[in-house]
Amino acid sequence: MDEKLLKPYDPKETESRIYKLWEKSGFFNPDVCIEKGIIKSNAEPFSIVLPPPNVTGNLHTGHALMLVIEDIMTRYARMQGKKTLWLPGTDHAAIATQSKVEKLLEKEGIRKNDIGREEFLKRVEKYAKDSHDIIVNQAKTMGASLDWSREAFTLDEKRNLAVKTAFKQMYDDGLIYRGNRMVNWDPKGQTVISDDEIIYEEKKGKFYTFKYGPFKIGTARPETKFGDKYVVMHPDDKRYKDWKHMQKITVEWINGPIEATIIKDEIIDMEFGTGVMTITPWHSHEDFALAEKYKLDKEQIIDKYGKLLPIAGEFAGMKIGDAREKIVEKLKTKGLLVSIDENYVNRVATAERSNGVIEPQIMLQWFVDVNKKIPSRNNKSLKELMLEPVRDRKIKIIPEHFKKVYFHWIENLRDWCISRQIWYGHRIPVWYKGNEIYCGLETPTDKEWKQDEDTLDTWFSSGLWTFSTLGWPEKTKDLKTYHPTSVLETGHDILFFWIARMILMSQYLLGEIPFKSVYLHGMIRTADGKKMSKSLGDKAIDPLDIIKKYGNDALRMAMIIGNTPGNDLKLNENDIRGYKKFTNKIWNASRFVIEQTKDFDILNLPNLDEEDEKSNQELQKLVAEISKEMDEFRFSIAAEKIYHYFWHTFADIIIERSKIKILKNQNALSAKTLLYTHLNILLKILHPFIPFVTEEIWSIIKKRDKDDLIMVAKWPIKNDNY
RNA sequence: GCGCGCUUAGCUCAGUUGGUAGAGCAACGCAUUUACACUGCGAAGGCCGGGGGUCCGAGUCCCUCAGCGCGCACCA
C-alpha cells in the first residue's frame, strides 16, 4: 500500500506538488496535447481568455471565483478531448495602477511631476511587474490550468501593435474623432474619465433658492452660477406666460447687474422648484445640450484644478468648496437669498478610482463615435454592431436577463471618451505638426511632429483582448483556431466596461463575435452579506488563507455549490470546512477501494452481479446527467449531484455493501470490480471541480507511466472527439 | 422616474419546458474497536413575501402590492 494512504489527506503538501506535475506535463498547452496524441489535431476547439487581473496587487475572492469557474469549464472541455485553450494575461489597468503608484510615491514624499514622465513610468512598470508575479503565482496556487506559454499583457509590444492598428482603422473610418465636448473631468486624478467610470454617491447637502430678477431659482451649487445669463422656463407654464422666448432682462446678480435672456424650453419640469432655472453650459451636460440647441454663449467658470476663474470676480482663484458659503453670504447681504433647504439629497458624481468629485467641463478630447454608420459594416453603427449579436442570440448571455440590462445601456450610450491625461498606458498614436495631424503605426521620422501627450482608456485595449491575445492583427493559426472564443466568464459588474467593448471591437475589426457565450458570475460577499472590498480589511476573506487552512479543493467546492450565475454568493468559512471533510471522505473511500483491489487484474474484470450491475447503470445515468448540467453551465447542480452521489450512494451504500460481500466471500469479485470502476469514473467526473485530490489519488491507483494524468483522462461518456 | 433582480426549512441557497416541496449547515435522538468521529443511522422542521387571475393542476405563467438589493437617467 502506498505510504501516503496511511495518513489523512494533506492538501497543503499535495497541491503545490500536483500543480508542478501538471505544468511539467505541458498539457495546459493544447499543442502539446496534440503532439503527444492525447487530443486529435482536428478535435473541436474550446477557448476561454482569462479576464486579465489588474496589476495592482493581489488576487481577491472575486478573482478566485473566476479562476475556479473557468478552470472547471476548461478541465471539463479538455477531458472531453477538445482542443482546449485557456489563455492567461494581466491588465495594465492604466488609471488604477498609476494612482496606486502615485500613492506609494507620496509616502516617500515624491510627486510624479518631480521625477518626470520617463522616470515615473519606470516606477510604475516595476510595480506592475511585481504585481504580475504575485498574481501569476496566486493563479497557480488556485490550480488554474492556464496555458502560460501564451501569456499576454495588455501593454506589451504585441498588444500595443493591436491597439495602434485598431485606433488607426477607427480613425481612418472616422469613428475616432477629436473634439471639444462635455467630458467628465476628475480634478483629483487630473484626467477625464468615461461615463462608465463614474460612481454616484448620495450626499445630503443644501439646496439654495435665490432671487434672480423677477424669478426665483434653485441650486445646489451656487459656486457655478457666476456666468448664468440664461433663465429657462417651460413654454406652457402659465405663471410665466408674460415672458417671451429670447426676451432680455437686466437682473442684479452676484457681482453686479447682468443682462439675462429668457429661454422657453420643454426640458423644464414645471413641478420642480419654482419651474425656473438658470444654466451653466460649460459645466453641465444638460445645460450644454440646451446651449447647443439655442446657440447660446458658453463660459468656463471653474478651471481644471477646481478653482474659480476671473469671471468670479472677487472669488477668483478660490477652491469651489471654500467659495460656496462665501458666495451665499454675499448673496444674502445683497438680499437675494430666499431660502436654504438643509435636507436636500444630491447624487454626487465621483471618479471610480480617485474618488474625486467630477466636474463636467468642455474639453478637447478623443472620442469613439457610436452612432456613425460604417460603410464596411453594412452601414451599421457601432451601437448596432453591439446590439445585433446579442439580440439575434449569436451571443448567449447567462443568465439571460442581463440581456435587458445590456440593451438598456446601449440605448443610453453616448460617444465614448477614450483619451486620458495620465502617463501609464497606450500613448495615442497621433502626432501634430502645426495644424497637421498624422495618425499611424510608426513614429514620423521628421522630429517636428509631436505626439499627443494623452494615453488611451484602459478598456480600449481590453476590448481587443479576445483576439489581440491570439496574435491579431497578424493572421495567426491561433486566431483562426480559437476565435471566436467559446465562453467569456466574468463578473456582471463589468458587463458594460468590458463585455460591450469586446463585442464592439470584435464586430467592427474582425466582423465576428468575440465569444459565443457569456457567463456572468455574481459578486462574492462575506457571511453577513457585505461586499468583499478592501475597506473591509481583516474581515475580508483572503482566498490564500483559506487554501492554507482547508485546501484549494475545499474552497473550490464552496465557491461552486450554491452559486448560480448572476447571483451573489455569501462565502462562509463553515461551508468551506464542510467541503474539506468531503475531500477527506474521498481520500478515505479511495484508500479502502485501493486496498481491496490492490492485487486485481484490471485487464480481466469479472462480470457484476445483478445488484452491482444496477449500481453500475445508476452511475452511467449520473455521468450522463452531470455532462448535461455541465454543457448547460449548471456547475452548482453538477457539483452538488456528484457530491451527493459520492457520499451517500458510493460511500454509504456501495462500500458498506461490499464489506459484507467481501467478508462473506459472496460475489466478492463483483463487489471489488464495482468499487474499482466506480472510483475511477467518480474521480474523473470530480476532477474538474476538485482537481488536486483526484489527481493525487489517480496517481496512487495507477502507477503507470508519467503521462497518465487524470487531467487528460477521457470523460467517461462517449462523444465525437474520441 | 425608468429598468433588472431577490423574497422557499432556524441559517445559506437549489428547484431547467407547470405535475405530490429539495440540499448543505445548524439543532434533535440513537449508534460506534468501521476506509473515514473530518463517521454512520434516524426523526424533526416549509399556507414557497401578501393579494388576485389563468389552468384539471402554480414555488414555477399573468396582474397587483410590499420589503430588500442593483443598474440607468434626472436632480435647475
Side-chain angles (χ1 to χ4, degrees):
Chain A
M1 183 157 168
D2 194 296
E3 273 184 24
K4 282 182 221 156
L5 287 176
L6 299 172
K7 290 177 279 184
Y9 178 59
D10 175 12
K12 218 173 150 191
E13 183 278 326
T14 310
E15 290 180 355
S16 59
R17 178 165 46 78
I18 293 283
Y19 195 85
K20 282 187 196 115
L21 189 69
W22 289 332
E23 266 198 300
K24 219 177 127 201
S25 75
F27 294 153
F28 292 164
N29 180 345
D31 301 335
V32 173
C33 291
I34 292 167
E35 225 170 84
K36 299 216 173 162
I38 283 162
I39 284 171
K40 285 197 217 156
S41 62
N42 62 348
E44 182 189 340
F46 177 89
S47 54
I48 304 185
V49 289
L50 177 77
N54 293 351
V55 284
T56 49
N58 299 323
L59 293 188
H60 51 68
T61 46
H63 293 119
L65 177 64
M66 157 184 103
L67 289 166
V68 169
I69 297 173
E70 290 171 33
D71 196 46
I72 290 170
M73 294 178 181
T74 305
R75 285 179 187 274
Y76 173 58
R78 196 182 288 119
M79 291 175 81
Q80 283 179 306
K82 291 182 186 170
K83 210 187 287 179
T84 304
L85 173 63
W86 184 19
L87 201 156
T90 45
D91 194 328
H92 70 287
I95 292 181
T97 310
Q98 165 153 344
S99 57
K100 193 111 191 199
V101 174
E102 276 180 60
K103 271 175 205 155
L104 290 173
L105 286 177
E106 248 171 56
K107 283 183 190 159
E108 297 174 41
I110 302 170
R111 291 168 73 177
K112 72 174 191 291
N113 286 312
D114 302 341
I115 56 176
R117 187 165 189 152
E118 207 174 314
E119 177 59 28
F120 178 73
L121 282 178
K122 272 188 198 158
R123 304 277 187 120
V124 180
E125 275 153 23
K126 168 81 171 61
Y127 176 82
K129 168 85 173 52
D130 292 347
S131 296
H132 161 270
D133 295 349
I134 294 170
I135 287 164
V136 167
N137 276 323
Q138 290 179 336
K140 289 181 178 181
T141 307
M142 289 298 301
S145 59
L146 287 154
D147 179 5
W148 297 104
S149 73
R150 283 176 165 88
E151 191 188 343
F153 179 48
T154 54
L155 195 57
D156 62 18
E157 222 168 284
K158 283 187 178 166
R159 263 44 68 176
N160 183 244
L161 178 65
V163 164
K164 285 188 290 194
T165 307
F167 189 99
K168 181 168 165 44
Q169 190 174 327
M170 294 177 99
Y171 180 82
D172 292 344
D173 273 348
L175 291 173
I176 285 183
Y177 67 91
R178 194 183 192 215
N180 274 299
R181 291 295 162 104
M182 180 63 62
V183 292
N184 308 301
W185 175 254
D186 169 11
K188 201 169 168 192
Q190 284 292 301
T191 181
V192 297
I193 58 173
S194 67
D195 295 345
D196 300 291
E197 288 164 288
I198 291 176
I199 292 171
Y200 290 93
E201 286 171 10
E202 291 212 333
K203 280 182 187 163
K204 209 167 148 184
K206 291 177 184 170
F207 187 80
Y208 307 89
T209 305
F210 299 117
K211 256 187 224 160
Y212 187 84
F215 307 106
K216 283 175 190 164
I217 57 147
T219 182
R221 305 199 53 194
E223 68 277 11
T224 65
K225 295 279 137 195
F226 292 99
D228 287 14
K229 55 181 184 179
Y230 300 101
V231 53
V232 192
M233 57 211 74
H234 199 284
D236 298 338
D237 196 328
K238 293 196 179 94
R239 290 171 290 181
Y240 309 112
K241 64 179 176 1
D242 294 340
W243 302 97
K244 302 265 170 336
H245 182 60
M246 285 301 187
Q247 185 179 347
K248 294 198 188 311
I249 55 168
T250 301
V251 299
E252 182 59 28
W253 197 223
I254 309 170
N255 291 328
I258 56 165
E259 186 184 65
T261 307
I262 310 261
I263 301 291
K264 297 246 175 172
D265 193 274
E266 284 162 5
I267 195 173
I268 289 289
D269 174 4
M270 288 188 271
E271 308 292 314
F272 189 93
T274 57
V276 183
M277 71 170 182
T278 60
I279 59 168
T280 313
W282 200 283
H283 299 288
S284 151
H285 279 101
E286 295 68 35
D287 295 0
F288 178 80
L290 207 60
E292 289 281 275
K293 186 171 171 185
Y294 296 108
K295 308 248 176 300
L296 310 178
D297 298 337
K298 309 179 194 82
E299 209 161 349
Q300 188 174 2
I301 314 295
I302 299 161
D303 73 5
K304 58 182 196 166
Y305 305 104
K307 287 181 179 165
L308 290 163
L309 288 163
I311 189 173
E314 63 188 276
F315 303 99
M318 284 178 82
K319 286 220 159 195
I320 48 177
D322 303 334
R324 180 176 297 175
E325 285 303 321
K326 296 200 170 73
I327 295 163
V328 173
E329 195 53 41
K330 182 165 183 195
L331 283 161
K332 192 178 171 187
T333 47
K334 291 180 85 165
L336 297 175
L337 176 65
V338 179
S339 62
I340 301 176
D341 175 1
E342 306 268 351
N343 293 313
Y344 182 71
V345 177
N346 201 13
R347 286 186 27 159
V348 180
T350 59
E352 186 195 23
R353 296 294 171 186
S354 75
N355 216 19
V357 175
I358 296 300
E359 193 57 66
Q361 292 264 12
I362 298 171
M363 293 181 111
L364 185 61
Q365 298 292 335
W366 288 95
F367 297 87
V368 170
D369 188 331
V370 293
N371 292 305
K372 188 187 165 83
K373 304 217 174 295
I374 310 161
S376 63
R377 291 284 174 258
N378 291 329
N379 277 324
K380 285 171 186 156
S381 67
L382 291 175
K383 259 190 187 179
E384 288 167 295
L385 288 177
M386 279 191 272
L387 196 70
E388 264 184 9
V390 178
R391 189 192 58 206
D392 300 345
R393 294 166 190 272
K394 279 188 203 145
I395 297 175
K396 193 178 154 197
I397 296 186
I398 304 159
E400 198 167 321
H401 70 254
F402 273 101
K403 231 158 73 167
K404 292 178 196 163
V405 182
Y406 179 78
F407 293 149
H408 191 243
W409 176 79
I410 292 178
E411 277 162 31
N412 290 304
L413 188 62
R414 289 189 288 214
D415 284 0
W416 172 19
C417 178
I418 51 169
S419 45
R420 298 288 180 274
Q421 289 67 56
I422 59 168
W423 289 344
Y424 188 54
H426 292 280
R427 193 90 173 253
I428 288 178
V430 169
W431 287 259
Y432 308 100
K433 184 175 150 186
N435 287 328
E436 287 176 81
I437 290 189
Y438 163 79
C439 170
L441 305 182
E442 305 293 333
T443 307
T445 44
D446 180 349
K447 288 227 166 77
E448 279 177 46
W449 286 98
K450 290 266 179 287
Q451 186 168 11
D452 195 300
E453 290 290 320
D454 289 356
T455 50
L456 284 165
D457 180 5
T458 195
W459 299 102
F460 190 93
S461 50
S462 317
L464 312 173
W465 194 239
T466 59
F467 48 91
S468 69
T469 51
L470 294 170
W472 187 89
E474 260 182 76
K475 286 183 178 136
T476 60
K477 201 180 153 203
D478 270 4
L479 188 62
K480 206 179 152 207
T481 310
Y482 297 110
H483 205 272
T485 61
S486 310
V487 189
L488 191 280
E489 194 282 337
T490 191
H492 63 72
D493 53 334
I494 53 175
L495 181 64
F496 310 138
F497 279 122
W498 195 39
I499 294 172
R501 266 72 180 258
M502 281 193 285
I503 297 174
L504 180 159
M505 290 294 193
S506 184
Q507 284 276 88
Y508 166 67
L509 291 164
L510 274 70
E512 66 182 28
I513 53 173
F515 28 69
K516 292 166 199 152
S517 300
V518 176
Y519 182 102
L520 297 169
H521 63 245
M523 307 290 107
I524 302 252
R525 291 173 181 278
T526 58
D528 54 357
K530 293 209 177 78
K531 263 192 180 167
M532 286 264 189
S533 63
K534 281 157 219 144
S535 56
L536 276 176
D538 296 341
K539 279 191 115 181
I541 293 177
D542 179 349
L544 295 177
D545 287 348
I546 293 292
I547 290 172
K548 256 186 228 156
K549 259 167 114 172
Y550 305 104
N552 188 282
D553 288 332
L555 176 63
R556 291 169 69 112
M557 284 301 270
M559 283 188 153
I560 279 300
I561 292 186
N563 185 5
T564 48
N567 291 323
D568 292 354
L569 175 75
K570 285 180 193 162
L571 191 64
N572 83 59
E573 208 168 321
N574 225 16
D575 290 348
I576 302 167
R577 198 176 297 125
Y579 294 116
K580 167 77 169 65
K581 288 185 187 175
F582 180 57
T583 56
N584 199 54
K585 186 80 183 174
I586 295 170
W587 184 255
N588 283 311
S590 302
R591 177 155 94 164
F592 178 79
V593 174
I594 290 168
E595 206 182 322
Q596 294 302 324
T597 58
K598 62 189 168 200
D599 39 8
F600 211 65
D601 181 3
I602 52 164
L603 296 173
N604 198 10
L605 297 177
N607 290 329
L608 300 173
D609 67 21
E610 203 179 318
E611 188 179 44
D612 289 341
E613 181 53 36
K614 220 177 132 195
S615 292
N616 186 44
Q617 278 166 18
E618 205 184 323
L619 179 63
Q620 294 304 323
K621 216 181 111 203
L622 177 78
V623 173
E625 272 175 42
I626 299 296
S627 307
K628 188 162 180 278
E629 306 293 6
M630 301 287 278
D631 291 340
E632 288 168 14
F633 300 100
R634 288 195 292 267
F635 306 113
S636 172
I637 292 175
E640 207 177 317
K641 278 186 180 171
I642 307 174
Y643 175 93
H644 207 256
Y645 186 89
F646 193 99
W647 203 310
H648 301 298
T649 300
F650 183 55
D652 292 348
I653 298 172
I654 293 174
I655 289 185
E656 291 308 317
R657 194 171 76 203
S658 77
K659 284 181 193 166
I660 300 166
K661 286 186 179 177
I662 292 166
L663 194 72
K664 290 188 180 168
N665 202 14
Q666 282 174 355
N667 291 341
L669 270 181
S670 167
K672 286 184 180 183
T673 304
L674 187 71
L675 290 179
Y676 183 83
T677 52
H678 245 68
L679 181 64
N680 273 274
I681 291 172
L682 284 169
L683 287 174
K684 285 185 193 175
I685 60 175
L686 279 164
H687 181 259
F689 300 97
I690 43 174
F692 291 104
V693 69
T694 48
E695 190 72 83
E696 176 71 349
I697 295 167
W698 190 259
S699 75
I700 297 169
I701 298 179
K702 294 290 178 164
K703 298 237 180 210
R704 290 195 212 139
D705 62 280
K706 62 178 168 38
D707 282 352
D708 188 8
L709 298 179
I710 199 172
M711 70 166 281
V712 288
K714 283 178 181 158
W715 190 256
I717 195 169
K718 284 205 172 82
N719 76 58
D720 300 339
N721 294 315
Y722 302 141

